[in-house]
């Protein structure tokens, strides 16, 4: 629950307090250990979950622009905007 919600320190404190008050929940010592572990490893756990949830490719870079045509054979096509999009994909950390 802590990792999937990516809890900040206030949310973590409230969650662990609720868990200690719940019947059959955790002890205050266990809550302190969990809190310390989460504070020290939150970024690594979050990145690991993101990497596990990716299917295949990820967007690495994107460039775009809009061009207007100024010369064409047919007058009705002049000033027609054309969007050009370039996307660079990365294959899951490669």
């Amino acid at each position: 629950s802590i990792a999937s919600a990516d809890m900040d320190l206030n949310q973590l404190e409230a969650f662990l307090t609720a868990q200690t008050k719940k019947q059959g929940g955790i002890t205050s010592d266990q809550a302190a250990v969990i809190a310390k572990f989460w504070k020290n490893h939150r970024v690594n756990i979050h990145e690991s979950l993101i990497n596990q949830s990716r299917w295949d490719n990820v967007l690495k870079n994107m460039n775009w622009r809009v061009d207007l045509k100024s010369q064409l054979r047919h007058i009705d096509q002049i000033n027609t905007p054309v969007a050009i999009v370039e996307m660079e994909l990365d294959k899951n950390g490669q």
Side-chain angles (χ1 to χ4, degrees), residues 22-42:
K22 192 164 70 169
Q23 185 174 353
I26 61 175
T27 66
S28 58
D29 290 337
Q30 289 171 327
V33 169
I34 292 169
K36 184 176 180 180
F37 181 83
W38 181 247
K39 288 174 190 175
N40 291 331
H41 299 287
R42 177 182 179 193

Side-chain angles (χ1 to χ4, degrees), residues 65-80:
R65 71 175 196 249
V66 176
D67 292 341
L68 290 175
K69 296 181 180 182
S70 60
Q71 287 185 331
L72 286 170
R73 239 181 251 180
H74 304 291
I75 193 84
D76 60 336
Q77 293 178 342
I78 292 180
N79 292 331
T80 303

Side-chain angles (χ1 to χ4, degrees), residues 1-7 12 15 38 41-42 45-46 49-50:
S1 295
I2 296 168
S4 64
D6 193 27
M7 293 183 185
L12 177 66
F15 178 76
W38 181 247
H41 299 287
R42 177 182 179 193
I45 294 168
H46 184 69
L49 287 175
I50 289 173

Side-chain angles (χ1 to χ4, degrees), residues 11-22:
Q11 293 170 323
L12 177 66
E13 181 78 27
F15 178 76
L16 291 176
T17 300
Q19 294 300 312
T20 58
K21 293 181 180 179
K22 192 164 70 169

Side-chain angles (χ1 to χ4, degrees), residues 41 51 57 64:
H41 299 287
N51 288 335
N57 294 330
W64 65 275

